[in-house]
Every structure is written in structure tokens, then in C-alpha cells.
Amino acid sequence: TGFLGKHLTPQLKSLGHEVYICNTKTANLKDLQNLKEYFAGAKFDYIFHLAAVTKAGDYCLKHPGNQWLENQLINTNILTYWADCQPRAKMICMGTSCSYAPAMPMKEENYLLGEPEPSLHTYAMTKRMLLLGLQAIQKEFGLKWLYFIPSTLYGPGFELDDNHFIFDFIRNCYNAKNKKEKFVVWGDGEQRRELIYVNDAVDAMIKLLPEENQVFNLGSGQDYTINEFAKMVCKCYNYDESLIEHDLTKYVGVKEKKIDTTKVVSRIPQEEFLKTSLESGLLRSVNYFIEEMKK
């Protein structure tokens, strides 16, 4: 029932799959016995593990202990449930581009190599350990899995207080235009980022389900500066981009984050899953936010 799950679920249902929805309100992912009891009797073909304890901005910097404790517990419980109760199911897990070492090309074969960005280190390593868990269970028990590493997902349906940079911009520009607040970009805005429209990522995931025991980057293959993204959002609101301000004291993370999409494009032609232009995707996201604010 998170951002990705809310887009994945209806697409799976449209293909005729019976979908069991799990979240922290129904099945406690921190309690293995509760998880086993909640799904007692069910036999799955696929399990999508989308849960993670994290937030954008400086959360990883300030809460490394909590991130390690909670994510390791959740990941271990879900993989234990899979191995013990659902060995016929293919496990599909989500990684993070934060796990890549900034100094290395963001190719799948480099995912476990080098040191992640220090401020994101703990969360990045829990995601690496999730992949190692999949590989270890495959080696010993012969279970099947997939592991996807998306660039930043965006689109309508996000939580209104989500502070990933693009959702921050959508919210801040709305407030600047309608509440006369300031639209402030952290840092000089020259750090580079990549987005992928959430439904495009879901399309790719579903098309890749026949693959086994593989890691796939999911990205658009195109990055922009934070300043460029801010100006695109301003255009959606018809807001004067010259009013954007910068706070050079704020945390900005890595200077550049663009994942290599060679592998996924070798399996799926780019035009078959990258169907949404950045301009169109941002406009849909902004219009969603405006409609939600009206409510």
C-alpha cells in the first residue's frame, strides 16, 4: 500500500492475478509468527517485497541505528517466511541506487562493490544484504528471485508529505504560488538526479517476471540537474522560476546519480516500457497534488 505498491497492484489484477495485499496494519513484518499466521493456507506464485524503513533528505544521516535494526529485521523475516512457507514462489525485491559506490559506474555487476555514500551507508548496506540473502537462499535451497534497482520513482498517488526531492518541489512550488511561501532548493542545485515514472517501472518489472535470479536497474537513462527539475516543476504551475532560492547550508547527498540501463534494455526495447515523457509525468504528478489539496 505504499507508493510503488499502489501502482503495481492494479496492474497485476488487470492481468488476472489474485493479489493479497500486506502492510504493517495487517501483517506485522517485524513479527515472523504473525506473518506466517496471516497468510496461513495461501500458496503464492510471486511475492513482492516492497517494504523499507527510510525517508529522503537527511533521514539516513540522522537515523542509521533505527534503519539497520528495522530493515534487517523486516528483510530477515520476509526471506525466512519465503524459505519456510512459500518455496515455490518467486521473490521479487527492491534495491536502491543508494547502494552503488559513487566512484563506480552504476552497473548491476558493481552493486556489491566499493563503499556507498557515507551519509546513506547503513540503509545502502541493508539493501545489499537483502540481495546477498536472496543469493544465499538460492544457493542452498534452489529458490527463485528477482532484484530491481530503480532510479527515483515519481508519478501521481504519492503521500502528500513524501519528501523525495521531486515531491518536495511539487509541494513547495504549490505553496510558493498559492501561499506566498519561498521555493527553496537545497544546495547550489547542480547535483544530478534521474527519475523514472512509476507505471513505466511497474511495466518493466512485470515484463521481466519470467527472468530468474537476476538483478536489473530500472531507469530512464536520462539525468538532469536539481535546478532543471525545479524549473520543470515551475513550468507546470506557471510559476516564475527566477523566484527560486538556494540554501547552501543544506544536505545535498551525492553529486551525481544515474544508473546504467543497458541490461534492462537488452531484455525489453526501451520504447516498450519508457512510455511516459518527463514533461507529461510531472504534469500528472502536479495535477494529482493540486486535486488532493482541493480535498
Side-chain angles (χ1 to χ4, degrees), residues 113-136:
L113 303 179
E115 287 293 316
E117 160 69 22
S119 61
L120 304 169
H121 193 274
T122 300
Y123 179 62
M125 295 304 283
T126 65
K127 284 294 192 181
R128 285 188 181 186
M129 287 302 295
L130 176 58
L131 175 57
L132 288 173
L134 295 172
Q135 293 171 336

Side-chain angles (χ1 to χ4, degrees), residues 165-166 169-170 173 183 185-195 222-237 239-242 244-246 255-258 278-279 282 286:
F165 81 91
I166 196 64
F169 286 179
I170 290 170
C173 193
F183 184 2
V185 169
W186 287 17
D188 63 9
E190 290 307 305
Q191 60 271 35
R192 303 185 70 86
R193 295 292 183 268
E194 176 187 9
L195 298 180
Q222 179 64 60
D223 62 341
Y224 298 90
T225 67
I226 290 292
N227 284 330
E228 287 173 321
F229 282 120
K231 291 174 182 178
M232 292 178 206
V233 171
C234 287
K235 185 177 179 181
C236 292
Y237 282 109
Y239 180 77
D240 184 357
E241 66 182 48
S242 68
I244 296 173
E245 298 183 15
H246 292 82
K255 283 298 283 183
E256 187 173 341
K257 193 189 288 187
K258 179 185 175 185
L278 183 56
E279 184 179 45
L282 286 176
V286 165

Side-chain angles (χ1 to χ4, degrees), residues 54 60 95-102 106 111 115-117 120-121 123-125 127-128 149-150 254 257 259:
T54 191
C60 294
T96 174
S97 58
C98 299
S99 294
Y100 281 114
M106 292 186 175
Y111 190 69
E115 287 293 316
E117 160 69 22
L120 304 169
H121 193 274
Y123 179 62
M125 295 304 283
K127 284 294 192 181
R128 285 188 181 186
I149 308 163
V254 296
K257 193 189 288 187
I259 59 179

Side-chain angles (χ1 to χ4, degrees), residues 41-277:
K43 294 297 179 185
F44 298 118
D45 297 300
Y46 302 98
I47 299 172
F48 290 85
H49 172 21
L50 314 178
V53 177
T54 191
K55 294 180 182 177
D58 57 3
Y59 182 87
C60 294
L61 192 63
K62 294 181 177 179
H63 302 282
N66 185 64
Q67 284 201 312
W68 190 90
L69 291 167
E70 297 207 61
N71 285 303
Q72 291 291 81
L73 180 59
I74 289 170
N75 292 341
T76 300
N77 282 346
I78 289 175
L79 266 58
T80 301
Y81 168 74
W82 172 46
D84 287 355
C85 304
Q86 303 287 348
R88 70 186 292 274
K90 184 178 291 183
M91 175 65 74
I92 294 94
C93 292
M94 305 306 295
T96 174
S97 58
C98 299
S99 294
Y100 281 114
M104 303 184 74
M106 292 186 175
K107 295 184 176 184
E108 290 89 346
E109 59 266 30
N110 294 334
Y111 190 69
L112 299 176
L113 303 179
E115 287 293 316
E117 160 69 22
S119 61
L120 304 169
H121 193 274
T122 300
Y123 179 62
M125 295 304 283
T126 65
K127 284 294 192 181
R128 285 188 181 186
M129 287 302 295
L130 176 58
L131 175 57
L132 288 173
L134 295 172
Q135 293 171 336
I137 290 169
Q138 173 209 336
K139 287 176 184 176
E140 183 167 352
F141 305 116
L143 277 58
K144 306 300 183 185
W145 55 269
L146 288 172
Y147 188 92
F148 293 115
I149 308 163
S151 55
T152 300
L153 299 166
Y154 80 106
F158 59 92
E159 296 292 334
L160 300 185
D161 61 350
D162 191 319
N163 63 343
H164 279 84
F165 81 91
I166 196 64
F167 301 139
D168 242 357
F169 286 179
I170 290 170
R171 183 171 51 251
N172 293 346
C173 193
Y174 176 91
N175 290 337
K177 184 176 177 69
N178 296 285
K179 300 180 181 179
K180 307 304 180 187
E181 296 182 7
K182 293 181 178 180
F183 184 2
V184 180
V185 169
W186 287 17
D188 63 9
E190 290 307 305
Q191 60 271 35
R192 303 185 70 86
R193 295 292 183 268
E194 176 187 9
L195 298 180
I196 183 169
Y197 191 68
V198 62
N199 282 335
D200 290 353
V202 166
D203 281 345
M205 289 168 63
I206 290 173
K207 285 182 169 70
L208 290 166
L209 284 181
E211 298 279 345
E212 290 185 353
N213 312 332
Q214 294 287 331
V215 179
F216 287 100
N217 284 336
L218 299 178
S220 63
Q222 179 64 60
D223 62 341
Y224 298 90
T225 67
I226 290 292
N227 284 330
E228 287 173 321
F229 282 120
K231 291 174 182 178
M232 292 178 206
V233 171
C234 287
K235 185 177 179 181
C236 292
Y237 282 109
N238 195 27
Y239 180 77
D240 184 357
E241 66 182 48
S242 68
L243 298 175
I244 296 173
E245 298 183 15
H246 292 82
D247 185 343
L248 300 180
T249 68
K250 292 292 188 179
Y251 168 82
V252 298
V254 296
K255 283 298 283 183
E256 187 173 341
K257 193 189 288 187
K258 179 185 175 185
I259 59 179
D260 188 294
T261 58
T262 303
K263 185 175 179 180
V264 66
V265 171
S266 74
R267 303 300 205 279
I268 315 170
Q270 194 160 304
E271 63 275 10
E272 285 190 16
F273 75 97
L274 292 176
K275 299 175 181 177
T276 310
S277 70

